[in-house]
Amino acid sequence: MACHHVPVRTSDSSPSSPSRHGKGAGLGLALLSAVAFGGSGVAAKPLIEAGLDPLHVVWLRVAGAALVMLPLAVRHRALLRRRPGLLAGFGLLAVAGVQACY
């Protein structure tokens, strides 16, 4: 019995391919997220020094993250309707959980 191997293309080699654009956009969003997370900690310190409780600062940071994510949620509302647990899990673990543990 002969075994034939057929090469499989996983991405297009052209610079304008959707996979390259998606990787670039993903990297850009990851960098923006890192800068926003680092910057929000710097912004939180003066609020705490001004007398706000750390828990109130956490709520402000979570509310700010929700406002930033709102346009993305509206754009992908079909996905959110199909998988509402995805949004709830991401919001509770990745956003609120990180902020509360910070």
Side-chain angles (χ1 to χ4, degrees):
M1 182 178 243
C3 181
H4 298 283
H5 294 283
V6 178
V8 177
R9 283 180 94 173
T10 57
S11 66
D12 189 7
S13 61
S14 68
S16 64
S17 71
S19 64
R20 288 189 187 265
H21 176 70
K23 288 179 185 177
L27 180 59
L29 287 172
L31 290 172
L32 180 65
S33 175
V35 169
F37 182 77
S40 67
V42 172
K45 187 175 180 179
L47 294 173
I48 292 171
E49 289 175 351
L52 279 172
D53 292 331
L55 184 59
H56 289 131
V57 175
V58 167
W59 278 112
L60 286 172
R61 291 174 76 180
V62 170
L67 287 174
V68 168
M69 294 300 293
L70 186 61
L72 196 62
V74 169
R75 181 173 181 196
H76 296 286
R77 60 187 169 271
L79 173 64
L80 298 177
R81 285 189 195 119
R82 282 193 315 258
R83 298 186 60 196
L86 180 68
L87 177 65
F90 181 77
L92 290 173
L93 295 174
V95 177
V98 168
Q99 297 302 317
C101 291
Y102 177 74

